[in-house]
Amino acid sequence: MNLTDFLEHVKERKSLNTPEIYELMNRMSDEARRITFELNNTYHTQDEVRALLSRLFGKPVDSSFRVFPPFYTDFGKNIQVGKDVFINACCHFQDQGGIELGDGCLIGHNVVFATLNHDLNPENRASMHPAPIVLGKNVWIGSNSTILQGVTIGDGAIIAAGSVVTKDVAANTIVGGVPARFIRDINV
C-alpha cells in the first residue's frame, strides 16, 4: 500500500487492520519521528520550523503558520493547515484519520487530536477505525484539551482548557468539561 491509497482508504473511514496498512503506518511513523526529533531537539527560526513542517506534512505550509515546538505526530501526512494558524508547545497530533485546521485557529499548550479509535471487540482490539477532526475558521482550543475522532468544530467556537470533546461543536459557542458540554453562545 502506498500513501495515496492509504489516504483514500481513511477518507472512506475503512478499518485499519491489514499487514499492508500496518507496514505503511510503521514507515510513516518512522519518517514522522525523524522529522519531529529534528524539529524538537534544537532551536529553529519560524521559517525553519515551517520548512520542517512542510516536509512532515508532505506539502508546503502557509508563511503565516506558526508553531512553538515541541510538536509531536505519529504520521504527519494527513494534516491540513489554513492561514494564520498558531499551535503552541507540546501538542500531539494523531493524524492518520485526518486533521484539518481552518484559517485563524489557535491551538493551546498540550492539546491532543486523536483521529483513531480501537475496535471495541477484544478479539479485534488491534483494528483501528479512523475519522477526521475538522476545525472551522477562528477556532480556539484551550490548553490540555483532547479532541476525539470524527469531531467537527464550527467557525469561531471556543473549547475551554482541559476539555475532552467527543461530539461536534456548533459555530460561535463555548464548550467545556469532561466530556465537553455547551456553556454558552458567543455573541458576535
Side-chain angles (χ1 to χ4, degrees):
M1 174 170 276
N2 64 35
L3 179 60
T4 302
D5 293 337
F6 178 86
L7 294 175
E8 198 56 42
H9 186 88
V10 297
K11 193 180 287 185
E12 296 173 14
R13 296 190 182 194
K14 293 180 179 176
S15 294
L16 306 177
N17 58 4
T18 68
E20 297 80 21
I21 288 172
Y22 295 148
E23 192 275 329
L24 175 88
M25 290 174 68
N26 285 335
R27 274 190 292 122
M28 293 293 99
S29 179
D30 283 347
E31 180 181 338
R33 284 183 289 130
R34 274 193 299 276
I35 296 169
T36 56
F37 285 7
E38 185 178 345
L39 171 69
N40 295 334
N41 288 314
T42 189
Y43 172 79
H44 298 282
T45 66
Q46 280 300 307
D47 285 339
E48 292 168 336
V49 168
R50 282 187 288 275
L52 285 163
L53 291 172
S54 293
R55 272 181 44 211
L56 179 62
F57 299 171
K59 58 190 151 290
V61 298
D62 191 79
S63 63
S64 63
F65 179 44
R66 293 182 345 159
V67 174
F68 285 177
F71 174 83
Y72 304 97
T73 183
D74 54 0
F75 193 73
K77 299 296 190 249
N78 206 0
I79 301 172
Q80 309 288 327
V81 178
K83 295 179 181 179
D84 298 312
V85 170
F86 173 69
I87 299 173
N88 219 323
C90 299
C91 290
H92 295 251
F93 283 35
Q94 180 197 53
D95 65 289
Q96 289 90 340
I99 297 172
E100 183 178 329
L101 307 180
D103 294 346
C105 285
L106 303 173
I107 311 301
H109 292 92
N110 299 312
V111 168
V112 173
F113 289 93
T115 66
L116 296 178
N117 204 1
H118 289 276
D119 200 275
L120 297 178
N121 180 344
E123 308 274 324
N124 300 320
R125 191 65 42 87
S127 182
M128 292 169 280
H129 306 288
I133 295 170
V134 178
L135 276 58
K137 294 180 180 180
N138 301 311
V139 171
W140 174 18
I141 309 290
S143 295
N144 295 302
S145 293
T146 298
I147 315 301
L148 296 181
Q149 62 151 191
V151 168
T152 296
I153 300 175
D155 293 350
I158 297 172
I159 309 303
S163 297
V164 176
V165 182
T166 61
K167 296 179 181 172
D168 290 353
V169 175
N172 297 310
T173 61
I174 301 172
V175 302
V178 180
R181 298 188 193 294
F182 174 82
I183 296 173
R184 70 178 177 89
D185 289 316
I186 299 169
N187 297 322
V188 289

